Amino acid sequence: MVMSLLYRSTRSADVKVTASQAILKGLAADGGLYVPESIPALDVSLEELAGMDYREVAYEVMKLFITDFTEEELKNCINKAYDSKFDTDEIAPLVNADGAYFLELFHGATIAFKDMALSILPHLLTTSARKNNIKNDIVILTATSGDTGKAALAGFADVKGTKIIVFYPKHGVSPIQEKQMVTQKGDNTYVVGIEGNFDDAQTGVKTMFGDSELAKELDANGFQFSSANSINIGRLVPQVVYYVYAYTRLLANNEIKNGDRINVVVPTGNFGNILAAYYAKNMGLPIAKLICASNENKVLFDFFKTGTYDRNREFVLTSSPSMDILISSNLERLIYRIAGDDANTNKELMDSLKKDGRYTITDDMRAKLEDFYGNYASEAETAEAIKSIYYNTGYVIDTHTAVAASVYKKYVAETSDETKTVIASTASPFKFTRSVMDAIDKAKYDKMTDFELVDELSRIANVAVPQAIEDIRTAPVLHDRVCDKTEMKAVVKDILGIK
């Protein structure tokens, strides 16, 4: 029998809610993020998990975090999520290439790792709403740096009792990412480009979540907000699964022995994906180093190097736009933990971030970050990683995965650590075709159109064009609304018909 696990806010010691309430709310009323009171230990052996498929592993991990769902409810959510939407039965295959294991997290409907969690979140949310007798329609309000938006739109499209509004930086996503979003079908889907960057979009969304007057207006009109961003614990928990799954595949394939430690490399901007690996380690998964890979927006690298988080810097638009982030929301969950689960200390640091754009952690807190290694890859290094892995192995990776591969090379050069390593491969190269093909041979591919490049990539990588790309070749634009970053609240009220 799994013990009941409650969730706390990172900013207030007296807030306690069930898993379903945390999923429904997304963000705590005090602006904090929900975290489990303790991280549960795996209660099934790694050998047993090695004999299970993805859905079965997902149940064994998620049941420990979402304890107010019945077995039937949770399995129903899992089975609806991890089905034929994924183009491989494995859901998240491991590919051995160039001295590491690439965990391909992009086989879902929108060919990015966000599908791993956003395929299940709508089912977790609607189940949570029923459990808590919610009568309002749930309005999913989301900011995206490119991938979350489409994955959330695909997950929530035409889900009864929900609407979804996605804000994205109009000039800060790849052409394919934008096309995927603005062609999204579904009577309950809304996509809005903002004149600003991702951090502006995310700040606008967080401000609306904290607006008590707006909440009253919504309620009077039969609505309430929830989030599909990685601040929602219903996003984070499904991400823990694939690290456990990756380890158990290595075990099943006799690549490691039970108990052998592995390293994990994660390209990350918002910190949620690597935080999931940290949670997996704390559940008892034998992970040695958590290698945090940043692009030229290296706010996380600087944090691990100095103990100071400082977003007061130039915002760089890179070829890995999903990581073009200076406010790493999920880092707050780690800060809370290394502060000894002290909500007051965490709140002081977050208040400092809001007021001054920076904070510095104590030496005691820094000592608890020994599991982490941080580094970054420049644009040139990212391109070089794509090119060298392709010419050495024939394997083609996207720009975000290339950031991770480049940082991994730096880590090995610095440490000579030969531990077997899993690299989180977070997007299909087809999602960032122009940047990928430029890296391989810019002169050769410069004159091709985006979709000519898609076909050429398919040919040289010997991989079929994903359905997600085929679907948008001729799809009409259905969403063309653009607003200033200051107008986001007015746009939401207009969409919902609130005067």
Side-chain angles (χ1 to χ4, degrees), residues 79 87 104 106 177 265 339 366 381 415 491:
N79 292 334
D87 63 19
E104 293 190 343
F106 53 75
Q177 284 178 312
V265 191
R366 278 192 79 180
E381 288 166 336
T415 63
V491 166

Side-chain angles (χ1 to χ4, degrees), residues 113-139:
F113 82 101
K114 308 290 171 76
D115 291 323
M116 302 300 294
L118 285 164
S119 296
I120 193 167
L121 183 63
H123 306 295
L124 296 176
L125 255 169
T126 48
T127 305
S128 296
R130 279 198 303 276
K131 290 187 100 57
N132 290 276
N133 299 314
I134 298 297
K135 298 290 183 276
N136 286 341
D137 275 8
I138 295 167
V139 178

Side-chain angles (χ1 to χ4, degrees), residues 129 165 230 344:
I165 304 171
S230 56
N344 289 334

